[in-house]
Amino acid sequence: VMPYNGTPSKSLVANVRSAYKIERISGKASKTIFCINKSAVGNEVFDDNYKTQFVKKIKDGIECNDYDEEDSILKDVLKGFKEKKETKQLVEDAYKEIEARNTELKAYALRVINEKDFLFTDWETEASNRGIKGPEEVRRKIKQYLRDSQIQDFCDSIPFSGTDCQLYT
């Protein structure tokens, strides 16, 4: 759940990258649904075209940057060691590892990112005529994933009430 602020900001793109990194590590047992919340604040209509452009901007943000900001910092630190003969090979190997991990995570995120996994939501003001979903739609998406993953028994035991959108296990 991330607040809507009119555009995919750097922090929103970073949150999407982090979510996909965790999803990649956890394997097939996970699914990420992004709720862009408090969307009812403006007058935008969140139709399929708007969502397509919004997700495209997120993809562009993923594609144009290092996957992990920590890796960018690490690369800068390693530059200083690269000039020393005794550490040059070690640093070059570290760079290759970082780049390989970045490339793999970026490819994974760009492959699995799906507009259907992004919901423009508002827990207080559902405005379906503007494409803004409420907590019931989020619940439906979660239950659908659980059914698709054959976790039906668990799916039926999820407590949910009103605007409270939390899963209790």
Side-chain angles (χ1 to χ4, degrees), residues 6-87:
T7 185
S9 63
K10 277 181 125 179
S11 66
L12 187 139
V13 173
N15 286 333
V16 170
R17 282 194 316 253
S18 295
Y20 280 127
K21 180 179 179 181
I22 292 167
E23 181 179 295
R24 176 70 177 110
I25 291 167
S26 65
K28 294 182 180 182
S30 66
K31 174 74 174 154
T32 306
I33 299 171
F34 299 96
C35 295
I36 313 300
N37 201 24
K38 298 185 180 178
S39 297
V41 172
N43 293 321
E44 290 90 358
V45 175
F46 299 96
D47 59 10
D48 290 341
N49 186 46
Y50 186 90
K51 187 188 289 188
T52 298
Q53 293 305 313
F54 194 86
V55 174
K56 183 185 181 318
K57 289 175 185 176
I58 294 170
K59 283 182 176 181
D60 292 345
I62 290 171
E63 197 164 21
C64 296
N65 296 295
D66 276 334
Y67 203 81
D68 279 333
E69 287 184 31
E70 295 84 13
D71 287 346
S72 295
I73 295 166
L74 182 58
K75 283 182 189 176
D76 289 341
V77 170
L78 290 175
K79 280 181 187 175
F81 291 106
K82 193 172 184 178
E83 295 169 8
K84 295 181 182 179
K85 188 177 183 178
E86 60 274 3
T87 59

Side-chain angles (χ1 to χ4, degrees), residues 157-169:
S157 69
I158 296 174
F160 185 82
S161 65
T163 60
D164 182 18
C165 188
Q166 295 181 8
L167 296 178
Y168 299 93
T169 57

Side-chain angles (χ1 to χ4, degrees), residues 76-108:
D76 289 341
V77 170
L78 290 175
K79 280 181 187 175
F81 291 106
K82 193 172 184 178
E83 295 169 8
K84 295 181 182 179
K85 188 177 183 178
E86 60 274 3
T87 59
K88 184 177 182 179
Q89 187 60 48
L90 179 64
V91 171
E92 287 176 0
D93 291 346
Y95 261 79
K96 287 178 187 174
E97 289 278 329
I98 292 169
E99 287 303 316
R101 186 177 68 221
N102 265 321
T103 300
E104 195 276 330
L105 286 171
K106 189 180 288 191
Y108 174 79

